[in-house]
Amino acid sequence: GINMSNVSNATIVNNTILTNGSNNAYGILLSNASNNSVHNNTIHTNGTTLAHGIFVRFTSNNNTIFNNLIRTRGTGVTNNGFYVFAVSSDNKILNNSVNATSSANGAAVQVESNSHNAVIANNTLRALSASPSNWGVYLFTSVSNAFVAHNNISANATSSNFAIHLDTGSDNHTVMHNDINVSASGGTSDGIRLDTGARNNVVANNSIVVARLGGGTQVGIRLISTAINNTIANNTIRTNGTSSNVGIQVATTTNGNFIYGNFIVTGGTAGSNDGIFLTSATNNTIATNTINTSGPTLNRGIRLDGTVSNNTVVNNTVRASGTTTNNVGILVRSIAHDNNVSNNVVFTNGTTTN
């Protein structure tokens, strides 16, 4: 490909790049390279592993990468469209088209290792690995202040698909106005995942569809344990599979999150469909959401399970309907305490236990 090491203020434009090798068959490499422009290139990579389209590493800062067509393919793992690594900050990834294909562990865009302030906007991103795991945008450990907006993102593999994944310790990201579609044949798939310790992130105005062709769990937006002070607002979420369909899931020891104004539709051919599901979470606010859950049984609009406490659930409109039993608008388990559930409008429909 093209190696840009220790270079600044250069322009890489209008190239057609084809690479083929066993490892490290990069299309374009920026290493300790800053203030460069990379645009209007066509890149096809093919190898076993690490056949990244554009690889930005080692304090490569303030590069603008736009209007490129990237196709990565490999028989091994980790063939990313973009890979931004090792203290490479303030990079802009704009208006690119990416198809990233691996046997496993492929991402259209991956940013990691103290690479802050990335802008990822107006891209078409396809992550198409045959096996797990698969990411559209993966903000890996110790990344902060990214802006991810107006992207069209698809993730499709057998399992472990994440359109946007804010990994452990992700702080102060803005994720908004993205169009997300996730599908798989099994395992776990999330539209947007905020992982352990994610704090002070804003996830707003996204359109999310998560579908399952087989068994498994599909979640529109998932907050993992100790995700704190995040705002989840005005998203449109649809999940559909056999069972375990969840619009927004808030896991153990998450607290201080504000979930409001979301439109959620969950459904499946079997039971267990939850609009918003909190388990052992505290001090979260769930307000002004519109939720529709449907399936044969176990349809719950809002579910507070485990030792949930001090949460506020107000002004939501909830519909839970099924063809058989156990359709509940708002379910609060007996060990929950000190929660405020008020001013909600609830409709239920089924045979019994509604």
Side-chain angles (χ1 to χ4, degrees), residues 119-138:
V119 176
I120 304 165
N122 297 304
N123 301 283
T124 298
L125 306 174
R126 302 285 181 265
L128 304 169
S129 295
S131 299
S133 299
N134 220 19
W135 295 272
V137 175
Y138 190 14

Side-chain angles (χ1 to χ4, degrees), residues 31-306:
S31 183
N32 191 30
S34 297
N35 302 306
N36 299 289
S37 177
V38 180
H39 62 95
N40 296 99
N41 300 284
T42 298
I43 300 169
H44 293 261
T45 68
N46 191 19
T48 52
T49 60
L50 305 178
H52 308 310
I54 297 178
F55 188 12
V56 181
R57 69 180 187 186
F58 301 157
T59 61
S60 292
N61 303 315
N62 199 36
N63 297 288
T64 302
I65 305 170
F66 64 99
N67 291 344
N68 299 283
L69 175 64
I70 299 173
R71 301 291 182 265
T72 67
R73 180 178 295 275
T75 57
V77 299
T78 317
N79 299 295
N80 298 332
F82 289 93
Y83 188 23
V84 181
F85 176 73
V87 200
S88 296
S89 296
D90 300 294
N91 293 291
K92 300 174 182 64
I93 298 171
L94 311 170
N95 296 302
N96 301 281
S97 176
V98 179
N99 277 21
T101 305
S102 300
S103 63
N105 300 333
V109 178
Q110 182 168 335
V111 181
E112 67 171 89
S113 301
N114 294 300
S115 297
H116 306 302
N117 307 319
V119 176
I120 304 165
N122 297 304
N123 301 283
T124 298
L125 306 174
R126 302 285 181 265
L128 304 169
S129 295
S131 299
S133 299
N134 220 19
W135 295 272
V137 175
Y138 190 14
L139 304 181
F140 197 46
T141 305
S142 301
V143 174
S144 63
N145 297 305
F147 180 73
V148 182
H150 298 285
N151 300 286
N152 188 304
I153 303 172
S154 296
N156 187 0
T158 54
S159 64
S160 300
N161 294 285
F162 312 103
I164 299 175
H165 187 175
L166 312 185
D167 207 349
T168 303
S170 291
D171 299 332
N172 301 307
H173 299 306
T174 299
V175 178
M176 60 190 304
H177 295 292
N178 298 285
D179 190 354
I180 291 169
N181 194 301
V182 178
S183 62
S185 57
T188 298
S189 290
D190 298 341
I192 300 175
R193 171 180 285 214
L194 283 69
D195 223 313
T196 305
R199 298 169 181 256
N200 304 315
N201 300 287
V202 175
V203 178
N205 298 107
N206 300 283
S207 176
I208 302 168
V209 177
V210 183
R212 175 77 60 190
L213 303 177
T217 301
Q218 38 281 338
V219 179
I221 299 174
R222 187 194 302 259
L223 283 69
I224 305 297
S225 60
T226 65
I228 297 172
N229 296 330
N230 300 286
T231 298
I232 313 297
N234 300 320
N235 300 283
T236 298
I237 302 169
R238 300 177 188 274
T239 67
N240 186 24
T242 52
S243 63
S244 301
N245 302 288
V246 183
I248 298 173
Q249 182 167 346
V250 183
T252 305
T253 65
T254 56
N255 67 80
N257 299 288
F258 193 21
I259 301 170
Y260 71 92
N262 300 283
F263 179 80
I264 300 169
V265 178
T266 68
T269 57
S272 193
N273 303 295
D274 297 305
I276 298 177
F277 178 18
L278 276 69
T279 176
S280 300
T282 61
N283 296 308
N284 299 284
T285 299
I286 302 171
T288 64
N289 299 283
T290 299
I291 300 168
N292 295 278
T293 69
S294 63
T297 186
L298 295 175
N299 301 292
R300 292 146 311 204
I302 299 173
R303 177 181 173 189
L304 279 62
D305 214 336

Side-chain angles (χ1 to χ4, degrees), residues 308-329:
V308 290
S309 62
N310 297 299
N311 298 285
T312 300
V313 181
V314 296
N315 299 320
N316 300 282
T317 300
V318 179
R319 290 175 173 84
S321 61
T323 56
T324 58
T325 62
N326 294 302
N327 305 293
V328 181

